Amino acid sequence: MLGIAVRLESHQGVSELNDNVNMLEFFSSQVFPELQDTNHSSRPMVKATALKFVCTFRKQFTRQQLISLLPLLIAHRESPSIVVHTLAAYGIERILMTTEGEASAGKRYKISRIELNPLLQSLFAGLFQIV
C-alpha cells in the first residue's frame, strides 16, 4: 500500500495520492484495528508498519482524525519493542508538526495547544519512561 498510494511526497509527508487507491478505506479496515490493539506482545512488526503508515500519510488525515490517533500512538510508546515505541514517538512528533494551509496564507499547526492539553500528562509520562 505504501508503494502504490504515494504520487508526491516530501519531508512534510505525502501531499498527493494515487487516484486509484482509497487510502482512508485501507486505513479504516487494516491499519486502525491494529493501532487499537494495545497487546504489546502481539505482532510488533505489524504494529510498527501501522505506525509508519500514520507517519507517512499524516497530511491526509483531518484534524479530528489526528486528535483521535494521538491517544493510540501514546499507548504504543509503552511497547517493549524498540521499533514500536520509537515509531510511536516519531509519529507523535510528526503529527504535532503537521501544518495546514498554504505558505502564502500562513501555515498553522493542525493540532492546537488547547486540543493537545488533555493529552499532555500521559504523553510526557510515557516519553520520560522511554528515556
Side-chain angles (χ1 to χ4, degrees), residues 81-97:
S81 168
I82 294 170
V83 173
V84 173
H85 74 239
T86 300
L87 277 170
Y90 177 72
I92 292 166
E93 187 263 340
R94 293 287 81 199
I95 286 174
L96 294 178
M97 296 305 294

Side-chain angles (χ1 to χ4, degrees), residues 5 13-14 17-18 41-43 46 59 61-62 65 81 98 101-102 108-109 113 118:
V14 174
L17 294 174
N18 181 339
S41 61
S42 171
R43 302 184 308 277
V46 176
K59 289 185 69 97
F61 295 110
T62 65
Q65 290 169 325
S81 168
T98 301
E102 297 297 320
R108 60 176 228 206
Y109 295 110
R113 291 179 185 177

Side-chain angles (χ1 to χ4, degrees), residues 3-46:
I4 63 170
V6 178
R7 289 195 62 188
L8 187 61
E9 183 176 16
S10 70
H11 68 281
Q12 295 178 347
V14 174
S15 56
E16 190 176 326
L17 294 174
N18 181 339
D19 293 334
N20 298 319
V21 176
N22 188 338
M23 185 276 302
L24 290 176
E25 181 181 315
F26 181 81
F27 172 78
S28 297
S29 65
Q30 304 296 320
V31 178
F32 191 65
E34 195 62 43
L35 292 174
Q36 289 178 311
D37 178 15
T38 56
N39 179 357
H40 298 301
S41 61
S42 171
R43 302 184 308 277
M45 292 313 294
V46 176

